[in-house]
Amino acid sequence: EMLGLFASIKGYLKLDAVWIDNNIFRLHYKATVIIYILASLLVTSRQYIGDPIDCIVDGVPGNVMDTYCWIHSTFSIPSRWTGKEGKDIPHPGISPESDLEDGTEVKYHKYYQWVCFVLFLQASMFYIPRYLWKSSEGGKIKMLVQSLQEPIVAADQKQDQITLIVKYFRMHRGTHGLYALRYFLCEILNFANVIGQIYFTDYFLGFEFSRYGLDVVAYSEMEPEDR
């Protein structure tokens, strides 16, 4: 069942008992990573969302033809995007090869074969800063906080722990510059990753992503008979 499909990420939804970063940082490695992994699982689970591709050829078994069509990238003809269906063109972007002149532009669409892998790769990229910071932090905050985050703590135990934290900061004042620098570098890495993912997605989708919103607005502003 579908619940079993997502059981592997169930534990990832839990919040850490001790926070070693801020809310924005957590959005990167929690919310964004979960969204990407869910999307990757969904596009590979054809029993829930249907077959990714269907090809029909007389005399060839459907499953064999579907596999052949999947591993061979499809293409469209930009010059055939406009026209009257059933008269000028069978469907926007489609034309029999016999009707194409030499040198006609052909646009290949190969990205669909790699969507699930790219989504997982992007999820990994959003988690890398968290991995680097957690490895670098070394459990220092957890060591200092210990049981103070518990809802019920004995007053004397709480006071002892606070005294220990104060003592630690007195002894190590001014020695955490490198610790803070590593955290800031991970924050910068988060920001750089977001910007990089925008350009990577644009490249992956054939440079159609960055201007897609503007194209939609321009299309919606056109006269109905010109769309």
Side-chain angles (χ1 to χ4, degrees):
E1 57 183 24
M2 182 170 278
L3 290 178
L5 178 67
F6 304 125
S8 58
I9 63 174
K10 183 179 178 181
Y12 193 71
L13 294 172
K14 296 179 180 178
L15 294 176
D16 298 328
V18 177
W19 292 357
I20 60 174
D21 41 43
N22 57 38
N23 291 328
I24 301 301
F25 205 133
R26 279 189 289 280
L27 285 176
H28 283 265
Y29 70 83
K30 283 285 187 183
T32 307
V33 169
I34 288 173
I35 290 171
Y36 272 120
I37 291 179
L38 284 176
S40 181
L41 290 174
L42 285 173
V43 298
T44 56
S45 305
R46 59 179 62 185
Q47 69 267 36
Y48 300 118
I49 61 174
D51 293 334
I53 194 168
D54 287 300
C55 293
I56 302 174
V57 177
D58 292 336
V60 180
N63 60 335
V64 174
M65 199 63 214
D66 288 350
T67 302
Y68 176 86
C69 291
W70 179 256
I71 63 177
H72 289 76
S73 58
T74 187
F75 63 89
S76 61
I77 314 298
S79 61
R80 299 296 192 272
W81 275 112
T82 58
K84 188 173 180 62
E85 290 187 44
K87 182 180 179 182
D88 303 321
I89 54 174
H91 188 79
I94 295 176
S95 174
E97 288 192 46
S98 57
D99 292 349
L100 299 178
E101 301 175 357
D102 292 338
T104 300
E105 182 186 1
V106 176
K107 187 167 186 177
Y108 287 90
H109 308 283
K110 302 179 182 180
Y111 68 87
Y112 65 87
Q113 301 162 315
W114 304 99
V115 168
C116 63
F117 303 107
V118 169
L119 288 171
F120 188 81
L121 173 64
Q122 290 180 295
S124 301
M125 294 297 291
F126 273 92
Y127 189 80
I128 285 176
R130 159 66 174 183
Y131 174 80
L132 294 175
W133 170 237
K134 189 174 182 180
S135 301
S136 176
E137 197 270 340
K140 184 173 293 186
I141 293 179
K142 184 177 182 180
M143 175 196 68
L144 291 172
V145 174
Q146 291 188 12
S147 60
L148 285 179
Q149 77 275 15
E150 299 294 335
I152 300 177
V153 181
D156 55 344
Q157 182 182 353
K158 184 175 182 180
Q159 186 58 47
D160 290 343
Q161 187 61 32
I162 293 174
T163 302
L164 180 63
I165 294 174
V166 172
K167 183 178 179 181
Y168 174 86
F169 279 110
R170 282 179 177 173
M171 293 177 60
H172 298 86
R173 173 181 291 183
T175 63
H176 293 83
L178 185 59
Y179 180 89
L181 179 61
R182 289 197 296 263
Y183 179 75
F184 295 147
L185 288 176
C186 287
E187 288 275 41
I188 293 172
L189 189 58
N190 276 329
F191 179 75
N193 177 61
V194 170
I195 301 301
Q197 292 290 354
I198 293 173
Y199 285 100
F200 174 75
T201 303
D202 190 37
Y203 169 78
F204 181 67
L205 298 178
F207 301 102
E208 299 286 346
F209 174 74
S210 61
R211 64 175 186 267
Y212 180 76
L214 293 175
D215 289 344
V216 170
V217 173
Y219 178 82
S220 66
E221 294 298 321
M222 293 172 63
E223 295 296 331
E225 60 270 16
D226 296 331
R227 291 184 178 181

